[in-house]
Amino acid sequence: MDIQQQAAVSDPARQAGAGGATAAAAGTAPNGQVNNDVGRLALVDFHEACGRILSAINTVIDGKEEAARLALTVLLAQGHLLVEDVPGVGKTMLAKTLARTIDCSVHRIQFTPDLLPSDVTGVSIYNQDKHSFEFRPGPVFANIVIGDEINRASAKTQSALLECMEEHQVTVDGRSYRLEPPFMVVATQNPIEMEGTYPLPEAQRDRFMARISMGYPDPRAEMDMLENHQSTSPLADVRPVVGMADVRAMVATVQDVYVSPAVKEYTVNIGRATREHPYLRLGASPRALLQLLRAAKAAAALDGRDFVLPDDIAAVSEAVLSHRLMLDRKAVTAGEDAPGIVASILAKVPVNGESRRPAV
């Protein structure tokens, strides 16, 4: 597969191919997180920018405001999103619409059984004129990467995204190349019971901050879809409403949201409860708890607060934790599922202490 035909290469990726690993972009820490010296937005400006993004998404995706909000939450929390549902309910449309609302580079990868890891990350090619190898970046070199039907590819190809998603870099032939922030993978997958799918390994699922299901729209939303979207694609009218600099500032705003010791203890207790639950063989990892807290900070900022409440933790827990949990056989026999177990844990774990930011 010709990588150059798959997607246009961003400038940082070209620099990586010409001169080795790129330096971390301004305002970016070595782990891909935005540094504290990046300018932040006032909460009113933050809320207004989020409103523009959500309004643009809701003009395309009818009746899925909660899914749009969670997708934006994951973007602002610097995570990755897994959208799982049956074909035809708007999984890829949600990913494309979110990408189009931001003035940044976007690449789409169609995962198939014959896709190779180098088709995702890139490959080193020998240049006969220069008598040296040159790195040709793959489509993962973009700000938003849409991985369509990720579970149709083999586990070997799926694993090509592990380093990209966790460390925001690609290593080929012993040389590492940085991925420019913001960087987000939005992957779609069909239920594993469908023909031609491969279940994602536990390590791969754990890289996704949240998993959502689109579900079928309600009758009124379907009527609106048939009325407004039958002749042209709704994506045709979507234009960027924020730029990359705006997104970086919004991410910095989320990072500045205060988390009290009581809320941190509440988060840890939820994680420990999943590991000790009799119906679970595998509970939440430390990475899961860190991403749970990041998602809660983004949710608090979206609600116009500069501090996290326990309700913010509870609001994102199902999306952040459910896909990471492995059920025991007893759970299947008892008719339990992961979302139900998360809900039962939230009902039992107490909250002690103050959540608000202390007065200076």
Side-chain angles (χ1 to χ4, degrees):
M1 183 176 296
D2 189 348
I3 295 177
Q4 296 302 316
Q5 293 177 354
Q6 287 189 45
V9 178
S10 61
D11 289 339
R14 291 186 185 277
Q15 295 169 6
T22 59
T28 307
N31 63 355
Q33 303 299 314
V34 175
N35 283 334
N36 291 330
D37 56 355
V38 174
R40 300 176 181 85
L41 296 179
L43 279 178
V44 62
D45 297 325
F46 175 93
H47 198 268
E48 194 272 336
C50 291
R52 294 200 306 270
I53 296 174
L54 292 175
S55 295
I57 295 176
N58 291 332
T59 61
V60 177
I61 308 295
D62 295 308
K64 295 299 175 183
E65 291 82 3
E66 189 61 33
R69 179 185 170 90
L70 187 55
L72 179 58
T73 299
V74 173
L75 171 65
L76 298 177
Q78 296 182 279
H80 308 287
L81 181 65
L82 181 63
V83 188
E84 180 183 83
D85 218 316
V86 296
V89 294
K91 302 188 301 295
T92 306
M93 188 69 74
L94 173 64
K96 287 183 176 180
T97 307
L98 175 64
R100 287 204 181 188
T101 62
I102 303 169
D103 188 13
C104 65
S105 58
V106 181
H107 292 167
R108 179 179 178 274
I109 308 172
Q110 179 63 56
F111 282 81
T112 57
D114 61 345
L115 193 72
L116 299 176
S118 59
D119 295 330
V120 176
T121 59
V123 65
S124 294
I125 298 178
Y126 186 74
N127 188 319
Q128 294 185 352
D129 294 333
K130 297 181 180 179
H131 301 287
S132 63
F133 283 92
E134 292 183 350
F135 177 62
R136 300 291 181 87
V140 77
F141 282 87
N143 296 117
I144 296 183
V145 178
I146 302 173
D148 205 10
E149 296 185 308
I150 187 174
N151 61 336
R152 289 199 179 277
S154 65
K156 183 177 181 179
T157 301
Q158 292 174 12
S159 66
L161 288 172
L162 292 178
E163 181 185 15
C164 308
M165 296 171 67
E166 180 64 19
E167 302 175 41
H168 290 198
Q169 69 178 25
V170 172
T171 301
V172 177
D173 295 334
R175 178 173 291 183
S176 296
Y177 306 91
R178 297 293 302 166
L179 298 172
E180 182 183 8
F183 175 70
M184 179 184 184
V185 175
V186 183
T188 69
Q189 72 168 357
N190 298 323
I192 60 174
E193 294 83 6
M194 302 193 72
E195 185 177 355
T197 59
Y198 302 82
L200 294 181
E202 291 80 3
Q204 183 80 53
R205 293 200 306 268
D206 200 41
R207 295 302 200 278
F208 287 99
M209 175 174 283
R211 181 190 65 180
I212 62 174
S213 296
M214 297 293 292
Y216 291 109
D218 58 49
R220 182 174 180 179
E222 283 193 296
M223 286 293 295
D224 291 339
M225 178 191 68
L226 296 178
E227 180 69 25
N228 300 321
H229 301 163
Q230 58 177 311
S231 57
T232 60
S233 171
L235 280 173
D237 296 327
V238 177
R239 296 292 182 269
V241 295
V242 295
M244 278 201 300
D246 300 314
V247 173
R248 289 171 183 164
M250 294 166 74
V251 169
T253 302
V254 168
Q255 289 186 335
D256 198 41
V257 172
Y258 174 74
V259 184
S260 70
V263 172
K264 292 177 183 176
E265 182 180 3
Y266 177 61
T267 304
V268 170
N269 290 339
I270 290 174
R272 295 184 65 86
T274 65
R275 299 165 195 164
E276 299 168 358
H277 200 282
Y279 284 162
L280 296 178
R281 290 192 294 117
L282 180 67
S285 67
R287 181 193 289 117
L289 300 187
L290 182 60
Q291 295 193 352
L292 177 61
L293 204 58
R294 289 176 181 168
K297 291 170 71 172
L302 279 167
D303 283 340
R305 280 181 282 103
D306 64 350
F307 61 93
V308 175
L309 293 173
D311 288 345
D312 298 316
I313 299 289
V316 298
S317 288
E318 179 182 330
V320 175
L321 298 180
S322 294
H323 64 289
R324 294 176 156 96
L325 306 180
M326 290 186 63
L327 302 182
D328 190 87
R329 293 179 181 177
K330 294 180 292 185
V332 179
T333 303
E336 296 284 349
D337 57 11
I341 291 175
V342 172
S344 66
I345 289 174
L346 293 175
K348 296 177 181 177
V349 176
V351 183
N352 300 308
E354 179 61 45
S355 302
R356 292 181 179 272
R357 186 189 294 267
V360 178

